[in-house]
Amino acid sequence: MTSRRAMQETQGRVICVDDILTSACGVCLQWWARILSCGALFAYAIYVSNSPYNDADMEKICRKAVELSCGHLEVIDIERFCTNDLLKCIADNGSHLLCMRLVNCWGMTNKGFSEALRKLPLLEKVDISHSYLTEVSLEALGRSCPLLKSLKFSVGWFASRESDKMAFVIAETMPGLCHLDMKGHKLSELRVLAIIDKCPLLESLDISVCLSLYEDEDLHKSCIDKINDLQLTYCYTYKPMRQLI
C-alpha cells in the first residue's frame, strides 16, 4: 500500500486507542510522519473500553492519542480510567469536541470536570454515568455548554442518591435538552415536572429505577402530553401510559 493510499483510507476512520499499540505504529516511518503531520489519524473519535491494559497505562496512551488529534477531536469515549489530569488534556486539545462519554470514571472530581468544561463550549452530547460527580458539575455543564442536547447521568439502584438538587440545576441551566437519562436517581415528582416544564424540547426521558417516584396525576399528564419516548420507574411500569390518552 502506498503512503498516499494509506493516508486516504485512514482519514475519517474511527481508531480505537489499542490500535496505536497493535497496528497503526507498525507502518513505515515516512507514512506515519505524514499522517501525524496532517492530523488525519485521530481527526474525529477516540474510543477506549474493555482494554486488556491497566488503567494507568491506558490513561497515558489515551493522553497521547488526544494530543495527536491536533485539535480535530469530536468524540471521546472512555470507560474507567478518566482522571482530572486526562480531562485537562482533553480540554486543552478538544475545542471542537461534540460528544463526551466518561462512564465508570470514579477518578474525576467536580473541580476537574468543571474546569475542563470551560474549554468545551461545543459539547452537544454528554454521558457521565456512574461517577462521583454532583450538581456542581451539572451546573458547570449547563452554563459552559449552551448547545447541550443530550445528557445521560444514570446510577445503579444500589448507588441511588438524593438528586432533587441535580434536577433543579438541569431545569434551570439546560433548556435545550432533547434527551435526558437520570436512571436510578432519587427524584421527586415536583423536580421531574420542573425539568419537563423548563426543557420544552425534551423528547426522551428515562427516569426508570427512580424508586422515590410515586403515582402522580400531574406527572402522568405532563409525561403523556410532552414526552415521546418515556421510561418510567418500577411503580409505573405496568400502567400503559399511552392508553390514558
Side-chain angles (χ1 to χ4, degrees):
M1 179 183 295
T2 66
S3 59
R4 179 184 297 275
R5 180 183 168 192
M7 227 171 4
Q8 289 174 342
E9 293 187 359
T10 304
Q11 284 185 323
R13 277 190 61 197
V14 173
I15 296 187
C16 295
V17 171
D18 287 0
D19 288 342
I20 305 170
L21 296 181
T22 58
S23 59
C25 288
V27 299
C28 74
L29 293 179
Q30 182 181 9
W31 177 87
W32 179 244
R34 291 183 64 188
I35 288 290
L36 297 186
S37 68
C38 69
L41 186 57
F42 305 107
Y44 300 109
I46 297 173
Y47 293 85
V48 195
S49 63
N50 300 319
S51 171
Y53 306 102
N54 65 55
D55 289 357
D57 288 341
M58 287 311 302
E59 181 178 352
K60 293 177 183 178
I61 296 167
C62 189
R63 182 193 302 272
K64 188 63 175 178
V66 170
E67 291 171 349
L68 291 173
S69 69
C70 303
H72 298 291
L73 188 63
E74 294 181 0
V75 179
I76 185 82
D77 188 329
I78 297 173
E79 292 186 12
R80 296 196 328 264
F81 63 83
C82 190
T83 62
N84 287 346
D85 289 340
L86 183 53
L87 273 173
K88 184 179 184 303
C89 178
I90 293 170
D92 290 341
N93 295 275
S95 59
H96 293 90
L97 197 65
L98 302 176
C99 177
M100 181 166 67
R101 180 178 180 269
L102 309 173
V103 176
N104 288 318
C105 294
W106 303 98
M108 302 184 298
T109 66
N110 284 320
K111 182 179 180 181
F113 187 75
S114 299
E115 289 178 351
L117 290 175
R118 295 172 188 166
K119 297 182 179 181
L120 304 172
L122 300 183
L123 276 174
E124 297 180 1
K125 185 176 182 179
V126 172
D127 184 349
I128 47 174
S129 298
H130 309 292
S131 68
Y132 289 125
L133 301 182
T134 69
E135 66 274 4
V136 174
S137 290
L138 291 183
E139 183 170 5
L141 178 62
R143 300 197 185 284
S144 301
C145 307
L147 303 179
L148 189 68
K149 295 180 176 64
S150 176
L151 172 63
K152 184 174 182 178
F153 190 19
S154 60
V155 297
W157 64 268
F158 53 86
S160 185
R161 46 184 155 170
E162 296 294 340
S163 304
D164 270 1
K165 290 182 179 178
M166 296 184 185
F168 176 79
V169 167
I170 291 171
E172 293 298 317
T173 66
M174 304 179 187
L177 274 185
C178 297
H179 309 283
L180 176 62
D181 184 339
M182 290 289 285
K183 189 188 296 96
H185 287 272
K186 291 183 179 178
L187 300 169
S188 68
E189 286 82 357
L190 184 62
R191 292 309 186 197
V192 175
L193 286 170
I195 290 175
I196 295 173
D197 182 57
K198 294 293 186 69
C199 302
L201 303 180
L202 200 61
E203 299 175 3
S204 68
L205 175 64
D206 190 338
I207 47 175
S208 57
V209 205
C210 293
L211 302 182
S212 59
L213 285 175
Y214 299 97
E215 299 268 353
D216 182 273
E217 184 177 348
D218 290 337
L219 183 58
H220 272 222
K221 187 176 187 306
S222 293
C223 290
I224 291 171
D225 291 344
K226 299 180 181 180
I227 307 299
N228 294 327
D229 181 8
L230 178 65
Q231 301 295 323
L232 288 170
T233 193
Y234 291 141
C235 63
Y236 288 100
T237 300
Y238 301 105
K239 182 177 286 291
M241 300 294 294
R242 294 297 174 183
Q243 292 180 16
L244 298 177
I245 300 177

